[in-house]
């Protein structure tokens, strides 16, 4: 039932505060405890020599964000692989490696093949992060965390993606707890931030009208670049994926520091550049990346947390977030990118919930 929404995708974007709150329910009662992932998790987390994340599409982007959190909070080596590539690679896995398989549906063929292939490469343990309780992935995994996004009908992942991010954030904190790599106060702060998350996400929905105006402009272009750094780099990839899959606009996501290694050659007054900015230690670097774009007349659409004023000069449009969200910035900044893609698609009149050539669950290779 769509209620007053025009599309399932729009409804699912607006369901995110609830989907996230539901995913966090046990976490907020218990804290980021390893036991949330299964009775064996504490020992496995404490002894894992490495983490390997495998996934496809948006789920892969969630994995890319998680790498920053896990590395920063635990010091563990983390690799993130596209499942369709990993399954045909030949490397071994160190015994005890934690394989994190991320999938909304739990039925993606390449992901299941990657998980089975990992088991043949070493004595690994598979942690499934999934939105569908009785899926193939959940049945074959050793450890499990279920996201509580509810059924997602729109083909483009929205609430499934943000709840995956939340689950991965909890995983990173739980790993830190088992491995004792953070002080109690640092861990408290990380867990405490989750309490505010549903409200932060809710506040983002108020930006919908403004993003519709951006979409009106964006819908006249055939190409777009998305930029970010650190945890916002995978969010740039995700923003570009959303725009291409539902609005059929060719879009590329880049780590802003990569610009001068090639894509800058594409920048002129016909290239809109959507930028996600956080007030972190890389802001200054991002600002100099933006100067390079602006010097070539690229049109910068800036989505910025408070404290990023240095990036405002020269931008074509600026939208400032209500509050800074610290390590949760990638979750919060996903919403405006979803809304931007959604409104651009609506303005172009595409079939938002069922984009051409795509299926919700890719059960063939
Ligand atoms: C993009 C999208 C896809 C899925 C991908 C993996 O909006 O929805 O890229 O993320 O097909 O699907 P799951 O997570 O079900 O394995």
């Amino acid at each position: 039932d769509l209620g007053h929404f025009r599309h399932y995708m729009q409804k699912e974007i607006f369901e995110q505060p609830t989907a996230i709150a539901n995913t966090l329910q046990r976490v907020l009662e218990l804290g980021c405890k390893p036991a949330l992932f299964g009775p064996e998790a504490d020992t496995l987390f404490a002894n894992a020599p490495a983490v390997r994340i495998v996934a496809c599409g948006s789920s892969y982007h969630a994995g890319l964000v998680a790498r920053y959190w896990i590395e920063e909070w635990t010091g563990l080596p983390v690799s993130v692989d596209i499942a369709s590539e990993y399954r045909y690679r030949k490397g071994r896995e160190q015994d005890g490696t934690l394989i994190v398989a991320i999938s909304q549906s739990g039925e993606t063929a390449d992901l299941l093949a990657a998980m089975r292939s990992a088991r043949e490469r070493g004595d690994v343990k598979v942690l499934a992060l999934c939105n569908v309780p009785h899926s193939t992935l959940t049945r074959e995994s050793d450890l499990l965390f279920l996201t509580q996004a509810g059924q997602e009908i729109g083909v483009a992942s929205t609430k499934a993606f943000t709840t995956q991010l939340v689950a991965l954030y909890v995983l990173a904190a739980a790993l830190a707890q088992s491995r004792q790599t953070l002080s109690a106060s640092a861990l408290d702060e990380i867990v405490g931030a989750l309490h505010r998350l549903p409200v932060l996400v809710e506040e983002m929905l108020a930006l919908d009208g403004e993003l519709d105006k951006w979409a009106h402009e964006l819908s006249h272009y055939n190409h777009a670049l998305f930029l970010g750094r650190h945890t916002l780099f995978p969010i740039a990839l995700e923003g570009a994926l959303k725009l291409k899959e539902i609005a059929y606009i060719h879009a590329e996501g880049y780590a802003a520091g990569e610009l001068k290694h090639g894509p800058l050659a594409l920048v002129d007054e016909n290239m809109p550049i959507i930028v996600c900015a956080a007030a972190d230690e890389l802001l200054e670097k991002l600002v100099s990346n933006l100067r390079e774009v602006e010097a070539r007349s690229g049109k910068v659409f800036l989505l910025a947390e408070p404290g990023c004023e240095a990036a405002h000069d020269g931008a074509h449009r600026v939208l400032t977030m209500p509050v800074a969200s610290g390590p949760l910035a990638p979750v919060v900044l996903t919403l405006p990118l979803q809304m931007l893609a959604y409104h651009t698609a609506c303005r172009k009149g595409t079939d938002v919930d069922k984009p051409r050539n795509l299926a919700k669950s890719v059960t063939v290779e």
Side-chain angles (χ1 to χ4, degrees):
D1 177 25
L2 274 172
H4 63 284
F5 294 106
R6 256 180 88 190
H7 298 99
Y8 284 104
M9 182 181 179
Q10 185 189 29
K11 177 168 179 267
E12 289 161 2
I13 288 172
F14 277 76
E15 279 170 356
Q16 286 175 109
T18 311
I20 290 172
N22 290 345
T23 299
L24 283 174
Q25 197 184 342
R26 289 189 61 221
V27 178
L28 297 184
E29 285 161 18
L30 301 173
C32 288
K33 294 274 183 298
L36 291 163
F37 298 85
E40 279 186 289
D42 194 22
T43 318
L44 296 175
F45 287 2
N47 298 316
V51 175
R52 173 158 335 251
I53 302 176
V54 288
C56 305
S58 293
S59 300
Y60 168 70
H61 296 155
L64 290 174
V65 173
R67 169 158 61 191
Y68 292 87
W69 289 327
I70 299 172
E71 285 180 348
E72 189 169 325
W73 299 341
T74 71
L76 270 168
V78 182
S79 39
V80 191
D81 284 85
I82 295 169
S84 60
E85 287 299 313
Y86 176 83
R87 64 181 288 193
Y88 293 113
R89 297 218 327 258
K90 302 292 180 212
R92 299 275 312 154
E93 294 292 358
Q94 258 180 286
D95 287 349
T97 295
L98 185 65
I99 306 288
V100 181
I102 312 170
S103 174
Q104 187 284 129
S105 61
E107 302 297 347
T108 300
D110 279 320
L111 185 275
L112 297 173
M115 167 181 63
R116 291 165 188 157
S117 162
R119 292 202 192 276
E120 290 170 5
R121 299 176 194 214
D123 184 12
V124 301
K125 293 290 173 187
V126 175
L127 162 55
L129 225 148
C130 193
N131 193 47
V132 177
H134 302 290
S135 55
T136 309
L137 174 63
T138 62
R139 282 197 304 271
E140 291 190 21
S141 63
D142 306 300
L143 301 173
L144 175 63
F145 187 99
L146 288 171
T147 49
Q148 303 292 338
Q151 193 189 2
E152 193 177 62
I153 293 170
V155 162
S157 177
T158 53
K159 60 179 181 171
F161 176 73
T162 48
T163 53
Q164 283 169 348
L165 287 178
V166 166
L168 288 161
Y169 182 100
V170 173
L171 171 63
L175 282 163
Q177 174 155 336
S178 295
R179 303 176 75 85
Q180 303 181 322
T181 46
L182 289 177
S183 67
S185 66
L187 207 51
D188 277 353
E189 204 174 307
I190 287 167
V191 180
L194 288 171
H195 289 262
R196 296 186 297 275
L197 186 62
V199 173
L200 285 181
V201 166
E202 178 96 52
E203 286 176 11
M204 300 306 287
L205 299 172
L207 303 176
D208 195 52
E210 197 55 38
L211 288 158
D212 185 33
K213 289 186 203 153
W214 284 24
H216 180 56
E217 248 183 281
L218 201 59
S219 63
H220 300 297
Y221 291 94
N222 294 319
H223 304 277
L225 284 178
F226 286 72
L227 301 179
R229 299 195 70 127
H230 196 254
T231 55
L232 297 178
F233 156 48
I235 299 309
L237 296 178
E238 175 63 7
L241 178 61
K242 289 288 95 102
L243 192 69
K244 59 190 139 189
E245 73 181 323
I246 61 165
Y248 311 154
I249 292 176
H250 171 227
E252 301 286 342
Y254 269 96
E258 271 291 286
L259 259 189
K260 57 163 88 56
H261 300 288
L264 201 53
L266 291 170
V267 174
D268 62 14
E269 67 283 359
N270 295 316
M271 182 61 87
I273 297 144
I274 296 94
V275 180
C276 293
D280 59 16
E281 65 272 29
L282 287 173
L283 180 62
E284 208 182 306
K285 310 271 181 197
L286 179 71
V287 170
S288 67
N289 300 144
L290 297 190
R291 295 287 173 266
E292 291 159 356
V293 166
E294 286 151 6
R296 281 136 190 112
S297 311
K299 281 213 170 69
V300 171
F301 292 74
L302 179 69
L303 292 164
E305 294 208 306
C308 295
E309 287 69 22
H312 292 193
D313 277 357
H316 173 64
R317 298 262 177 268
V318 179
L319 202 52
T320 306
M321 306 302 113
V323 284
S325 38
L328 287 164
V331 183
V332 174
L333 280 160
T334 295
L335 273 90
L337 297 181
Q338 294 169 344
M339 294 188 275
L340 184 61
Y342 172 74
H343 287 298
T344 307
C346 287
R347 287 187 175 268
K348 293 192 67 174
T350 62
D351 190 349
V352 172
D353 285 332
K354 285 198 170 57
R356 64 188 181 199
N357 311 337
L358 299 177
K360 180 70 186 159
S361 185
V362 185
T363 53
V364 292
E365 181 169 1

